[in-house]
Amino acid sequence: MKMFVWRQLVYVAILTAWAGVACGELQNVQVGGEIRIRGRYWEGGWAGAPIQPIPAQWARGRSLGPFGLTSMYNWDNRRYITQQIAPGVWRRSKVDTGRAYVEQRTALHVKADFTQNVSAYVDIHDFTIWGEDFRSDYVTGADRRANTSNDVEIYQGYIEADQIFGVPLRLRLGRQELVMGKGWLVGNMISPVLGMSFDAARLTYTHDMFSVDAFAAKLVETMAWDDDVNLFGVYAAYTDFAPLQVAGYYFWVRDARKIDDSPNSSPILNWVEDILGYNNYNDTHLHTVGLRLNGKHWGFDYDAEVAYQFGEADQVGALFRRFPGGYGDQHARWDNWATDVEVGYTVDVKCKPRFFIGGAYYQGDDNRDMSFFDWINPFNTKGKASVSFNRLFSNLWYSSIFDILGGASALTNFYQVRGGATVNITDSVSTGLRVAQYWIDATFDLPVTWGNIPIASVFPFMTKPAKNDLGTVATLWLKYNYTEDIFITVGWEHMFTGRGVDGGSYIMKHGLEYAGGTNNRDADYIWFDTGIKF
């Protein structure tokens, strides 16, 4: 039976069960909300606009992926830089090395409780950057600064039925947050101010000793018969023993959108493609299986999570072409591991100092080099993909310097060790320090130059591996809880850059975007964050 047939049957079954339980009279209404404001400033890493530290002709014929050699980082705090744009030709240009703005989230939610254990929940969010809404051009009086792309939206809106058929089974249907475990791969946060929700159906069975979640979410609706993108998952956790809690899970992203390298081709070309085995993509299936162990005992706490990804990555492979108008990689696959581990110890004194060590690993893949035989073969028009671990919809935020552009799930193809401490100075004031060292897992092969002579512009197969040392990031923060519902946080993050940043490798946007700069100078990030809940 085809996918769309059984999928529709599942939806019909859910709606049928829903019709039997989702009825009742209104009993209670609760209203609440939140206002959160965060100011952010970067210096030294952000390029201000896309740059290309390595000329495209130096990597001609190499399968670089959808973003080529474009980088959003320059790792340079100079106000003016001099770049070689051609042999013997240099250009001095001004660069914007800083980025600053204030962002705000305004949220209002309403929960309505009905009889028969039925409730409805609506959560309205407005996210905006200060100065981009309700601001007039003071010269002409025209409202040209208004940005309506981030206006009020229904962030969550779902119906929930609990204790279905008299058992501890809950059904939640509609737009909702999905947080599996600590949100390492499926969570509810793009940034601390910008949330993430899903259009989904979710079943939860809760027992005194364990819980099981099963969900199905719509990621892309194409309005076609069966060309959508869907996310399915099962997450089971044993929670009865505090020193050892165990969770296992399986997530599946199915992308059935059609891919065509030559959509306007003739029947003859289609016939040739079939013979040569080109332009023959299948549906994309990203499977993720994982295990989490966590617990607390005798002042110690630990959290260890490991995941493995496998499956057909045709949607990624189609992005890798050797030449414009060429063919992608129809044999791309996920085959990557990832883990994140942290162990802490809290001293049993009044200020509760906690010391911790940990680390993370996200397996990368970089096949962007080109052999001599690839270079001399005129019939080699197919690209070869580089598929790194996909962090899906992660909550885990490693560094604001690295995650300036893509949110918590953007950074991959790296490994890290970290350590630090937190302490409660008073009942309402806390502080913390974290230091982390980063390395690149699969480095990019840089074009070879001889002095100022770009050998790779003539022989692009001549390369050298980039350095893998990204650098050391130190983060210091101070938080004041005015009340349980009002807080203020300030912090500073400094990156001591390594030699791996100016050469650059593909670590952004799940390993698809290059992050190389014009220098390897240190970078800084400063922030304040405040919020109130009601």
Side-chain angles (χ1 to χ4, degrees), residues 71-370:
S71 174
M72 297 301 296
Y73 293 82
N74 60 10
W75 306 112
D76 201 333
N77 56 14
R78 293 174 296 174
R79 297 299 179 183
Y80 291 88
I81 62 173
T82 302
Q83 289 181 287
Q84 185 179 18
I85 60 175
V89 180
W90 300 80
R91 179 176 64 189
R92 178 176 170 83
S93 57
K94 184 178 180 180
V95 294
D96 182 7
T97 61
R99 190 186 196 198
Y101 57 86
V102 177
E103 58 187 2
Q104 177 172 334
R105 179 179 72 218
T106 306
L108 182 66
H109 66 257
V110 178
K111 182 180 180 182
D113 295 319
F114 299 84
T115 57
Q116 305 297 322
N117 295 311
V118 176
S119 63
Y121 186 84
V122 177
D123 191 5
I124 301 173
H125 280 205
D126 174 56
F127 174 82
T128 188
I129 304 296
W130 280 16
E132 294 301 312
D133 278 327
F134 310 114
R135 179 176 175 179
S136 298
D137 181 350
Y138 76 94
V139 176
T140 66
D143 289 327
R144 295 175 179 172
R145 292 278 304 187
N147 179 3
T148 60
S149 61
N150 292 315
D151 279 349
V152 177
E153 292 187 355
I154 302 298
Y155 175 65
Q156 294 190 89
Y158 58 82
I159 304 173
E160 180 177 288
D162 205 355
Q163 298 297 314
I164 299 176
F165 306 125
V167 299
L169 180 65
R170 183 185 69 202
L171 173 62
R172 183 176 291 177
L173 189 64
R175 179 165 297 181
Q176 58 189 281
E177 293 182 336
L178 295 175
V179 182
M180 299 295 111
K182 66 175 182 289
W184 186 50
L185 294 178
V186 176
N188 63 343
M189 185 183 75
I190 297 175
S191 76
V193 179
L194 188 59
M196 177 166 48
S197 58
F198 300 81
D199 297 323
R202 177 181 180 180
L203 276 172
T204 303
Y205 183 86
T206 304
H207 188 270
D208 293 339
M209 300 177 61
F210 65 91
S211 65
V212 179
D213 274 285
F215 62 88
K218 178 73 65 176
L219 301 182
V220 176
E221 176 59 71
T222 62
M223 301 299 179
W225 186 247
D226 190 36
D227 292 346
D228 299 343
V229 184
N230 298 289
L231 169 66
F232 305 94
V234 177
Y235 191 98
Y238 169 76
T239 58
D240 188 53
F241 186 49
L244 176 60
Q245 301 187 33
V246 182
Y249 53 86
Y250 167 69
F251 303 138
W252 171 29
V253 177
R254 177 180 180 270
D255 189 343
R257 292 174 296 178
K258 299 300 182 288
I259 309 172
D260 193 347
D261 286 331
S262 51
N264 300 316
S265 60
S266 65
I268 295 178
L269 179 57
N270 291 333
W271 178 71
V272 173
E273 289 176 340
D274 290 338
I275 293 176
L276 298 178
Y278 287 5
N279 197 19
N280 185 22
Y281 297 97
N282 296 316
D283 291 348
T284 292
H285 299 276
L286 171 53
H287 304 278
T288 304
V289 292
L291 177 69
R292 182 191 181 200
L293 305 176
N294 67 290
K296 295 181 179 180
H297 193 56
W298 292 338
F300 288 95
D301 64 90
Y302 67 94
D303 199 314
E305 194 158 354
V306 61
Y308 172 67
Q309 290 184 337
F310 61 95
E312 299 85 353
D314 291 46
Q315 287 286 346
V316 177
L319 302 175
F320 286 82
R321 305 181 183 188
R322 291 194 62 207
F323 303 103
Y327 294 92
D329 185 353
Q330 62 196 39
H331 301 294
R333 296 186 61 85
W334 276 283
D335 182 17
N336 311 96
W337 289 87
T339 186
D340 185 88
V341 179
E342 184 168 299
V343 178
Y345 178 72
T346 302
V347 183
D348 189 14
V349 296
K350 183 177 181 180
C351 60
K352 299 295 182 182
R354 176 181 179 265
F355 303 91
F356 65 89
I357 58 173
Y361 169 69
Y362 294 91
Q363 186 178 7
D365 185 24
D366 197 307
N367 299 311
R368 295 175 176 87
D369 58 335
M370 179 173 56

Side-chain angles (χ1 to χ4, degrees), residues 486-501:
I486 305 174
F487 75 93
I488 300 174
T489 302
V490 295
W492 171 43
E493 184 171 286
H494 181 81
M495 179 176 177
F496 303 91
T497 57
R499 292 299 302 177
V501 297

Side-chain angles (χ1 to χ4, degrees), residues 325-532:
Y327 294 92
D329 185 353
Q330 62 196 39
H331 301 294
R333 296 186 61 85
W334 276 283
D335 182 17
N336 311 96
W337 289 87
T339 186
D340 185 88
V341 179
E342 184 168 299
V343 178
Y345 178 72
T346 302
V347 183
D348 189 14
V349 296
K350 183 177 181 180
C351 60
K352 299 295 182 182
R354 176 181 179 265
F355 303 91
F356 65 89
I357 58 173
Y361 169 69
Y362 294 91
Q363 186 178 7
D365 185 24
D366 197 307
N367 299 311
R368 295 175 176 87
D369 58 335
M370 179 173 56
S371 69
F372 173 77
F373 296 101
D374 290 335
W375 177 62
I376 63 173
N377 182 2
F379 302 104
N380 182 17
T381 61
K382 295 181 65 175
K384 188 174 183 180
S386 299
V387 184
S388 297
F389 188 89
N390 188 302
R391 291 176 60 192
L392 296 176
F393 310 99
S394 176
N395 262 3
L396 204 57
W397 195 274
Y398 285 98
S399 164
S400 291
I401 291 177
F402 285 126
D403 290 324
I404 179 176
L405 299 174
S409 63
L411 183 67
T412 189
N413 185 23
F414 75 96
Y415 54 101
Q416 172 227 58
V417 294
R418 62 182 185 266
T422 61
V423 61
N424 298 324
I425 301 175
T426 68
D427 291 339
S428 57
V429 179
S430 58
T431 187
L433 171 67
R434 186 180 74 167
V435 179
Q437 171 66 40
Y438 293 83
W439 295 271
I440 301 166
D441 181 45
T443 58
F444 175 56
D445 283 354
L446 299 170
V448 170
T449 61
W450 182 30
N452 294 327
I453 302 175
I455 298 176
S457 62
V458 180
F459 304 112
F461 61 88
M462 298 184 66
T463 59
K464 59 180 180 181
K467 303 293 184 181
N468 76 331
D469 178 16
L470 280 173
T472 303
V473 178
T475 307
L476 176 66
W477 56 266
L478 179 69
K479 184 176 183 180
Y480 172 53
N481 290 297
Y482 182 73
T483 67
E484 291 184 357
D485 300 318
I486 305 174
F487 75 93
I488 300 174
T489 302
V490 295
W492 171 43
E493 184 171 286
H494 181 81
M495 179 176 177
F496 303 91
T497 57
R499 292 299 302 177
V501 297
D502 54 343
S505 285
Y506 286 79
I507 59 175
M508 305 306 301
K509 295 185 178 177
H510 301 304
L512 297 178
E513 186 177 69
Y514 177 68
T518 55
N519 210 320
N520 65 334
R521 303 199 179 193
D522 292 356
D524 290 280
Y525 169 68
I526 300 172
W527 81 92
F528 80 85
D529 193 1
T530 184
I532 181 172

